Amino acid sequence: MDNKPLVEKRADPWVYLHDGYYYFCGSVPGYKVIELRRAKKLTDLKDAEPKYIWSAHTSGPMSELIWAPELHFWRGKWYVYFAASDDAEVRDSKHHHNIFVLEGEGDNPLTAKWSEKGQVKTHQDSFSLDATVFEHNGDLYMCWAQLEPAIHNNSNLFLAKMKNPWTVEGKELLLSIPEYDWEERGFKVNEGPAEITHDGKIIITYSASATDENYAMGMLWAYQKLDLLDGYSWHKSEKPVFKSAPQNKLWGPGHNSFTKVNGKDVLIYHARPYTQIEGDPLNNPDRHAYAKYFNWKENGLPDFGEPGDKDQIQ
């Protein structure tokens, strides 16, 4: 099967369905801009005209390595969460990425008036990125990846409620750390969370290990009726739920998002069409965005299948 990307050379793909349009964003090679595009059909995103809505500063903490933007709509306004650094080199945890937010006013985020709401301050001044937000019982929650200096790995997942879309408030739960072999290949990483609600459960997928063919997706879930900030509410899959499929010539799937096509659930993810990566995997642009339908098991948890299988959307 010839697996055609949804959008080429866009890692960390995010698709948001709103008022009949699919909105798309992802990490743009060069890592200096935030780009949005939209289309009435998911498969038309590849040909949709991109619009730059924000550019990196010339210096300072929002000047380099603009990674993994996510678009959300909350109480009448648009928000983009993204990670940025003050240094073009990945040097250390102190002078590296933090999470920032843009707010947009207008019906169409491609033409909205955007303003900077600044950095999302968390419990620790350390490497942080990949923020996603979701609503639960009327509250906005943020899940993100962050380095905790007391834990000897690269990044963990945290969860907290938000006072507003750019301010964390109250308890910050350490939700997940890399602990299994498949989460520690190359680097000890939990990152790229995405949330979906189904059958009374809050489900959070995430990505683990280095960004080469070892990259894979894990899953956490909790019953909606329980306290999401109580660590005992959460369950974690001991095995990856989505991983490389050499038989389909797609490797390192991850950093996913969710959408729907005609009422059917769709997984959006990035992957590489080969394993022989030239140079630093983070600087290699050949992670493409793909899409596939997925199903649900009798226990209410997702069955993602494998990259490039019969459910792939071309």
Side-chain angles (χ1 to χ4, degrees):
M1 182 177 181
D2 182 18
N3 288 299
K4 298 178 181 178
L6 183 71
V7 180
E8 291 187 350
K9 297 187 177 182
R10 292 294 182 270
D12 316 319
W14 183 260
V15 172
Y16 192 84
L17 178 59
H18 181 81
D19 282 350
Y21 283 96
Y22 292 96
Y23 292 93
F24 178 90
C25 54
S27 296
V28 179
Y31 310 119
K32 284 286 191 176
V33 297
I34 294 176
E35 169 197 280
L36 297 179
R37 62 180 75 187
R38 75 173 187 170
K40 283 283 191 179
K41 292 178 60 178
L42 184 68
T43 50
D44 287 342
L45 284 170
K46 63 172 66 70
D47 298 318
E49 182 178 357
K51 171 70 179 297
Y52 294 160
I53 64 161
W54 182 86
S55 297
H57 294 190
T58 55
S59 62
M62 301 169 71
S63 62
E64 300 288 351
L65 299 178
I66 310 304
W67 286 353
E70 284 195 12
L71 177 71
H72 295 267
F73 189 75
W74 170 254
R75 296 184 177 176
K77 293 184 180 180
W78 295 97
Y79 294 93
V80 171
Y81 296 81
F82 65 98
S85 177
D86 62 356
D87 197 325
E89 299 293 328
V90 180
R91 300 180 189 275
D92 55 53
S93 62
K94 186 66 176 177
H95 297 285
H96 199 18
H97 283 81
N98 289 116
I99 298 163
F100 297 88
V101 185
L102 304 177
E103 182 182 70
E105 296 188 41
D107 294 334
N108 180 356
L110 278 71
T111 57
K113 180 181 179 182
W114 289 95
S115 60
E116 297 173 1
K117 304 306 289 187
Q119 181 182 338
V120 180
K121 300 292 184 65
T122 62
H123 68 289
Q124 180 74 47
D125 183 14
S126 63
F127 168 80
S128 57
L129 76 174
D130 292 354
T132 193
V133 296
F134 62 93
E135 184 178 353
H136 174 62
N137 289 340
D139 292 317
L140 191 66
Y141 285 76
M142 184 175 84
C143 186
W144 72 99
Q146 185 158 4
L147 182 147
E148 177 60 60
I151 303 174
H152 297 291
N153 58 28
N154 298 89
S155 62
N156 312 285
L157 294 181
F158 290 84
L159 181 69
K161 283 185 182 181
M162 305 197 78
K163 180 180 179 181
N164 55 48
W166 55 91
T167 308
V168 167
E169 182 177 49
K171 178 181 179 179
E172 298 181 24
L173 173 67
L174 175 57
L175 182 61
S176 178
I177 66 172
E179 56 186 305
Y180 300 117
D181 171 71
W182 59 271
E183 298 178 292
E184 300 180 340
R185 294 174 181 167
F187 296 100
K188 298 178 180 181
V189 168
N190 280 181
E191 65 180 16
E195 181 272 344
I196 187 170
T197 299
H198 180 78
D199 193 29
K201 300 178 182 69
I202 301 288
I203 299 163
I204 293 178
T205 55
Y206 65 94
S207 298
S209 289
T211 58
D212 53 18
E213 68 270 21
N214 291 304
Y215 212 50
M217 280 170 47
M219 183 176 67
L220 304 146
W221 65 271
Y223 288 108
Q224 284 180 274
K225 63 184 180 181
L226 299 181
D227 179 4
L228 298 188
L229 297 182
D230 181 350
Y232 289 105
S233 299
W234 289 91
H235 307 264
K236 181 176 179 177
S237 174
E238 296 181 1
K239 298 180 180 180
V241 295
F242 200 58
K243 60 183 181 179
S244 291
Q247 66 277 20
N248 298 329
K249 298 182 179 180
L250 286 176
W251 288 268
H255 207 119
N256 74 286
S257 57
F258 298 103
T259 191
K260 287 181 179 289
V261 173
N262 297 325
K264 295 184 64 176
D265 288 297
V266 173
L267 176 72
I268 309 294
Y269 64 97
H270 75 227
R272 297 182 190 273
Y274 59 86
T275 59
Q276 300 303 313
I277 302 168
E278 295 184 5
D280 183 349
L282 284 174
N283 289 329
N284 181 288
D286 290 337
R287 287 180 290 174
H288 307 315
Y290 296 89
K292 73 182 302 294
Y293 294 111
F294 68 93
N295 300 307
W296 296 93
K297 301 177 183 178
E298 289 185 3
N299 63 5
L301 295 175
D303 179 359
F304 294 120
E306 58 188 28
D309 64 17
K310 62 180 176 57
D311 293 319
Q312 195 81 2
I313 299 174
Q314 298 287 336

